[in-house]
Amino acid sequence: MVHENFRFQKLFRRLHAIIANGEIGEPTFARLSWRNDIDVYSNQPYLKSTRRFMIMDVGIHMLDLARYLMGDATAVSCLTQSVKKGIAGEDAASILLRHQSGATTIVDISYAAHRNPNPFPQTLGEIEGRSGTVQILDDEVLRIHGTSDTRDEAIAPDKRSWTHAPWTQIQDSVPRTQQHFVDMLRTGTEFETSVTASLQTYALAEAAYRSAAAGRLVDVSSLLKER
């Protein structure tokens, strides 16, 4: 199993359940946004000289999250930016996915988005379906626009003694990821993020880099055949 914990955040487990129970109908569009200006360079100075930077650092988690919520993707288009002066790789990327279902997802990520208050480490955005929408708002709130009403669901933290803001959302996801690992071992069930499944995520990251370099849409199936 690959430790891929974004999908095990409590908010995204709940969002997945809302989609699965059909409350907003078949998903047709998603936007997943992770943009902030957290100083990643003080503790990880090597990132300044890393040529494959933002997509491999955070984008890989966001692409796995897109697969979890919207299904596997068949094609990728990507534009990257190097906003901070003096870095070797990209610190921002805009990635467009076409899913097997026909739905599309925009994944946008940046370490150069200056905001106050800083939204780190939240993922924001929305999922649109044929009969409703769910917005992913600040402070772990889901706003569900259904066919008859609109309501907010605040996702409460697990309240472990060793977690603290702003890291709580991420910290809570780690034991949840580990619990999944243990549960699947006990039942003999395949992991959600098995090596085989995770190759789909890595293919999306590779496709994003190839798209950015070539300026074209990249077919994911061709990359999976290369393995």
Side-chain angles (χ1 to χ4, degrees):
M1 175 178 163
V2 175
H3 184 107
E4 189 58 72
N5 59 57
F6 269 48
R7 66 164 63 206
F8 286 100
Q9 291 177 27
K10 196 173 182 180
L11 178 143
F12 292 115
R13 303 309 276 190
R14 175 57 185 148
L15 178 54
H16 187 273
I18 291 171
I19 295 170
N21 70 24
E23 188 166 353
I24 64 169
E26 180 188 3
T28 57
F29 171 82
R31 181 179 62 85
L32 300 172
S33 181
W34 200 93
R35 306 183 72 87
N36 57 72
D37 62 350
I38 188 72
D39 179 13
V40 293
Y41 308 103
S42 295
N43 293 331
Q44 299 169 282
Y46 61 87
L47 292 176
K48 293 180 181 178
S49 58
T50 301
R51 294 192 177 278
R52 287 191 166 194
F53 171 20
M54 190 74 193
I55 295 173
M56 294 307 296
D57 187 56
V58 172
I60 195 79
H61 305 306
M62 298 289 285
L63 291 169
D64 179 75
L65 186 58
R67 288 184 54 245
Y68 174 59
L69 296 172
M70 302 292 285
D72 284 328
T74 59
V76 177
S77 180
C78 178
L79 294 172
T80 59
Q81 296 172 284
S82 297
V83 179
K84 182 179 176 63
K85 293 182 179 180
I87 62 172
E90 79 286 355
D91 59 357
S94 301
I95 307 170
L96 176 64
L97 308 177
R98 182 174 65 210
H99 295 274
Q100 290 178 355
S101 65
T104 57
T105 294
I106 296 171
V107 172
D108 62 278
I109 51 178
S110 176
Y111 275 134
H114 307 295
R115 301 179 184 182
N116 187 22
N118 190 341
F120 175 85
Q122 299 177 93
T123 300
L124 306 176
E126 59 261 331
I127 307 283
E128 296 179 1
R130 294 191 183 276
S131 56
T133 296
V134 183
Q135 293 176 275
I136 310 163
L137 305 177
D138 284 306
D139 300 321
E140 294 194 74
V141 172
L142 294 175
R143 179 164 293 163
I144 300 112
H145 304 267
T147 54
S148 59
D149 64 354
T150 297
R151 72 180 191 278
D152 285 358
E153 288 191 15
I155 309 301
D158 289 340
K159 296 184 178 180
R160 295 181 174 85
S161 62
W162 49 268
T163 63
H164 57 87
W167 296 94
T168 307
Q169 184 176 0
I170 302 296
Q171 290 169 330
D172 279 348
S173 73
V174 174
R176 286 172 171 272
T177 308
Q178 295 167 336
Q179 188 63 57
H180 174 75
F181 176 73
V182 172
D183 290 344
M184 297 304 99
L185 282 180
R186 286 174 171 167
T187 61
T189 307
E190 185 175 5
F191 305 116
E192 280 187 27
T193 54
S194 68
V195 172
T196 301
S198 294
L199 283 174
Q200 297 279 345
T201 301
Y202 301 149
L204 298 184
E206 178 64 27
Y209 280 116
R210 294 192 186 189
S211 172
R216 62 177 178 85
L217 190 73
V218 173
D219 176 60
V220 177
S221 62
S222 63
L223 298 182
L224 292 170
K225 290 176 182 177
E226 290 182 13
R227 67 187 175 131

